[in-house]
Amino acid sequence: MTVRGGQPPSALCAWVVLLLLVVSGEPYRTPYNQEQDQNRDRDSETTDPRTDPRIDPRTNTRVYHRDVSEVRGKDCRRCCDPGEQPPHYSNPHYPQQYPQYQAVPQINITILKGEKGDSGQRGPYGKSGKSGQAGPRGPNGIRGTKGSIGTPGEPCKAQYAAFSVGRKKAIHSNDYYQTLVFDTELVNLYGHFNMFTGKFYCYVPGVYYFSLNVHTWNQKETYVHVMHNEREVVILYAQPSDRSIMQSQSLMLELEREDQVWVRLFKGERENAIFSDDFETYVTFNGHLIKPKSEG
């Protein structure tokens, strides 16, 4: 039924919605069993409420429990809302069913030991650790047997150096320094004194002793130096006199290898000369090694 304009009346729509809500909101009812109700009534007449566990002592009312065999074969239904506890849990006399547990044997795997495997390859060496502290000195060991006699060694090598040279010719000073060259070789061990240069060359380092002897010229000055390399070490000097005399000087020097020792005549600011007659040796220069450096 419609009204003019093709739209249903609002009152009719409201009744239809209300009718649908009433039909859908009807609660669920369990199937009625008349035979079971009659049996419950007979039991209630013959049982004592004080001894019957099905009577609730608080309300003095009978609590009905449906037999499990009765429920079997029938359709399942929802007994409670989600989150709620089933009704039979509230009754302490209702037997609760617990999950069945089954004992499972446990095996300790650690006691099971198989056959020994093959040895693996050796791994790389690790880094060396820090050196530990030195331990205490151990006890002396047992004295060993005497060894055999060894072969004789080489004889001790003694080192020597010595020279003694002379001059027979006179010499006079000039405008420059002059090296005193000797013409007579008395001793020249291993040729360490060079007769051409007039210098001693050290080949064995150590301590040496040197001495110089000259004959002065009367009325003339005598002025000479003993030189160590290019350094003036000592001086031999004689003043002018009416007669000539023998004058000497001596010293010790510590020499290194290739050092030089020689005699130098001073240049002629005044008359400076050394006497000789070409027949006799009036001038001598001597030196020898006292102690080698290798001996400490």
Side-chain angles (χ1 to χ4, degrees), residues 204-271:
V204 182
V207 179
Y208 286 78
Y209 173 81
F210 298 96
S211 64
L212 174 64
N213 299 290
V214 299
H215 193 280
T216 64
W217 205 305
N218 54 346
Q219 305 299 326
K220 293 183 181 181
E221 188 178 40
T222 303
Y223 191 4
V224 296
H225 287 101
V226 177
M227 307 291 295
H228 179 199
N229 296 327
E230 299 299 325
R231 179 173 62 92
E232 300 171 354
V233 182
V234 294
I235 185 174
L236 187 150
Y237 179 75
Q239 294 180 347
S241 176
D242 293 337
R243 57 179 183 164
S244 59
I245 58 174
M246 294 296 297
Q247 195 81 358
S248 66
Q249 181 66 278
S250 61
L251 72 158
M252 286 192 299
L253 291 175
E254 185 175 1
L255 303 180
E256 299 294 337
R257 187 175 178 83
E258 297 184 359
D259 280 357
Q260 302 173 15
V261 179
W262 48 290
V263 181
R264 185 187 69 178
L265 184 65
F266 197 77
K267 59 185 177 179
E269 296 178 355
R270 289 173 293 183
E271 190 66 26

Side-chain angles (χ1 to χ4, degrees), residues 1-33:
M1 172 180 162
T2 60
V3 294
R4 187 178 302 174
Q7 298 293 334
S10 58
L12 181 60
C13 294
W15 281 105
V16 172
V17 172
L18 182 62
L19 181 61
L20 292 175
L21 293 175
V22 171
V23 172
S24 61
E26 185 177 359
Y28 177 82
R29 298 178 182 178
T30 58
Y32 178 73
N33 193 331

Side-chain angles (χ1 to χ4, degrees), residues 53-59 61-65 79-80 84-98:
R54 292 176 295 178
I55 302 300
D56 189 355
R58 293 173 298 179
T59 60
T61 57
R62 184 183 183 87
V63 179
Y64 294 95
H65 298 283
C79 62
C80 60
E84 295 181 357
Q85 207 174 24
H88 61 271
Y89 288 162
S90 60
N91 189 354
H93 301 287
Y94 188 85
Q96 298 184 4
Q97 297 181 0
Y98 296 95

Side-chain angles (χ1 to χ4, degrees), residues 158-159 291-296:
Q159 295 177 314
K291 182 179 181 181
K293 186 177 181 180
S294 59
E295 295 181 3

Side-chain angles (χ1 to χ4, degrees), residues 42-89:
R42 286 195 301 267
D43 293 339
S44 60
E45 294 176 359
T46 59
T47 57
D48 188 0
R50 293 174 297 177
T51 61
D52 191 357
R54 292 176 295 178
I55 302 300
D56 189 355
R58 293 173 298 179
T59 60
N60 200 19
T61 57
R62 184 183 183 87
V63 179
Y64 294 95
H65 298 283
R66 179 173 292 182
D67 191 5
V68 178
S69 61
E70 297 176 1
V71 178
R72 293 177 181 175
K74 296 181 179 294
D75 296 336
C76 295
R77 65 181 181 85
R78 184 175 67 86
C79 62
C80 60
D81 292 334
E84 295 181 357
Q85 207 174 24
H88 61 271
Y89 288 162

